[in-house]
Amino acid sequence: MNIPLIIAGLAFWGVNLFAFYTFYQVNSYKIFITILLVSILAVICDLLLPKTVEKKFPWKQIGILLLPLLATIPGYFWSDGVYNYNFRYEFVSNLILIIWVAYLYRSANEEKDLSPFLILIGCTIIYAGGLAILERIGFHPLAWNSLPVARVKSTFGNINYFAGFLVVILPLFLVFSFPDFLTKKPSKNQSEAIFSYSNEFYLCVFILGFISLLITQTRAAWVGGLGGLGIVIVLFAIIFTTPIWRKRVFILLFILAIIGLIGIALIVAFPDLFPRFASLFTLRGWAGRYVSWQAAINSIKASPLIGYGLGSSYALYFKFADPEARLFWEEHSYNHVHSEILEYLQ
């Protein structure tokens, strides 16, 4: 049993156990708890449980992961930190991920070591997803009130944070739910497809997580999530599956695409039945994002090589946004990029 990874999994679940809505910056609170936990775990791993760590510190891997972060430093000094409203927040957020990678890489000596850790992450998704459904119908035990809500945030304190977490994590659990027989030629004695208990568990995690993503009603997350899942399925089929299953997977994807197109046609034909979905297919539905993206592109053109450094998205919006944007869009909450790619380019 890999104790460091089990502790890490418990820490992951513990951080997402409560929302603490009394904190305005819920995510900032969680980041503080996370970096505290991973720092303590790193000390425990090396000092108290040295026999569980056989690998040396992965300097080469960490160096590669640090490159995007280091690339943002010149822009910070070039602009004298004038635009870096969220520098400390963004810096610590990125640094935490790299520390976690180092910890997990050193703690996992074999593939099977990851199983307890992944199970605990899956339990976290089930827990957060269950609370999201309760929140949607008005029975969330940790929310301020017991009234049904249109858009859920579970224990993440923010709808977009919750949706972003699901978009990143769901493709991982979808791949884990794929059974081994997809990647191996069937033996002569094998007459039926066999799903392991872990496949079934990961599939349940994925389904509950996907339902949670839908009820966040975050349009960009829907598009990104479905696109990401589609890409993962296609790549998995091309790289890992046997020819017979590859053909079946592509047939299934084709059928799903046809169903999706029919669904889109119905949504467009009857927009009042699914207003949030229908807005995905209108220019007005993306107007807020367009304003943010255009402001980001304008800022990138102004400093294409060096940029402005981490945490500059908020301030750069007000410097480069179209001053006439408010004439055709009433939303007040689009004053940052809403795009990880454009934010790093900034």
Side-chain angles (χ1 to χ4, degrees):
M1 183 177 293
N2 194 299
I3 301 299
L5 285 180
I6 291 177
I7 296 174
L10 290 172
F12 186 91
W13 178 73
V15 168
N16 295 293
L17 185 59
F18 300 107
F20 285 104
Y21 288 98
T22 51
F23 289 85
Y24 176 70
Q25 293 289 350
V26 176
N27 211 43
S28 299
Y29 167 79
K30 288 189 173 185
I31 284 176
F32 169 73
I33 295 297
T34 304
I35 197 168
L36 182 65
L37 284 171
V38 73
S39 300
I40 293 172
L41 287 176
V43 172
I44 292 174
C45 187
D46 273 336
L47 299 182
L48 301 183
L49 299 169
K51 293 182 179 179
T52 62
V53 179
E54 298 178 3
K55 297 179 181 178
K56 296 180 179 179
F57 193 83
W59 291 109
K60 184 184 296 185
Q61 291 85 348
I62 295 304
I64 294 172
L65 292 174
L66 275 171
L67 288 177
L69 185 60
L70 294 174
T72 68
I73 300 299
Y76 175 81
F77 289 105
W78 182 264
S79 61
D80 294 325
V82 173
Y83 303 107
N84 307 91
Y85 176 78
N86 283 330
F87 177 80
R88 289 178 294 179
Y89 177 88
E90 297 288 347
F91 182 79
V92 172
S93 299
N94 282 269
L95 196 60
I96 285 175
L97 296 176
I98 295 170
I99 296 173
W100 270 116
V101 168
Y103 176 83
L104 296 175
Y105 178 83
R106 298 184 69 203
S107 300
N109 297 313
E110 297 180 276
E111 184 179 349
K112 64 180 182 180
D113 291 339
L114 289 171
S115 295
F117 177 67
L118 293 171
I119 289 172
L120 285 167
I121 292 181
C123 291
T124 303
I125 297 173
I126 291 173
Y127 174 80
L131 288 180
I133 293 173
L134 291 176
E135 183 182 10
R136 178 67 180 85
I137 61 179
F139 290 98
H140 193 325
L142 304 177
W144 278 106
N145 55 62
S146 58
L147 298 176
V149 297
R151 304 178 65 193
V152 301
K153 49 192 173 185
S154 187
T155 63
F156 283 72
N158 182 286
I159 297 166
N160 290 332
Y161 293 159
F162 185 40
F165 164 76
L166 293 170
V167 167
V168 171
I169 208 78
L170 286 182
L172 182 70
F173 280 88
L174 176 63
V175 170
F176 290 145
S177 69
F178 294 152
D180 290 340
F181 63 77
L182 292 177
T183 62
K184 299 177 181 178
K185 293 182 179 180
S187 63
K188 295 180 179 179
N189 298 326
Q190 186 179 359
S191 59
E192 60 180 9
I194 299 175
F195 290 81
S196 67
Y197 289 123
S198 61
N199 292 146
E200 295 172 355
F201 171 75
Y202 292 137
L203 181 60
C204 291
V205 171
F206 171 78
I207 292 172
L208 186 55
F210 189 78
I211 292 171
S212 301
L213 179 61
L214 291 178
I215 60 179
T216 62
Q217 297 205 43
T218 303
R219 292 167 296 185
W222 287 342
V223 175
L226 290 174
L229 291 172
I231 291 172
V232 165
I233 293 173
V234 170
L235 290 178
F236 185 88
I238 293 174
I239 298 172
F240 297 108
T241 58
T242 57
I244 186 171
W245 280 107
R246 187 178 306 132
K247 182 179 179 180
R248 292 173 181 177
V249 168
F250 284 127
I251 291 174
L252 177 61
L253 285 176
F254 178 77
I255 294 172
L256 291 175
I258 296 297
I259 295 173
L261 290 174
I262 295 173
I264 290 172
L266 291 174
I267 290 170
V268 173
F270 305 99
D272 293 337
L273 296 178
F274 309 98
R276 191 78 181 173
F277 280 100
S279 66
L280 284 169
F281 308 100
T282 64
L283 290 176
R284 183 171 180 79
W286 292 97
R289 294 293 186 267
Y290 173 78
V291 172
S292 298
W293 295 339
Q294 188 59 55
I297 292 170
N298 292 340
S299 70
I300 293 166
K301 289 179 179 178
S303 182
L305 297 179
I306 296 179
Y308 303 88
L310 283 176
S312 57
S313 169
Y314 181 82
L316 291 175
Y317 169 81
F318 291 101
K319 181 175 176 61
F320 290 96
D322 181 359
E324 298 181 354
R326 192 56 55 82
L327 296 176
F328 58 85
W329 182 247
E330 70 279 1
E331 183 60 56
H332 291 231
S333 64
Y334 56 88
N335 48 20
H336 58 285
V337 180
H338 288 290
S339 169
E340 295 289 339
I341 296 172
L342 290 178
E343 189 167 344
Y344 262 99
L345 288 174
Q346 284 184 316

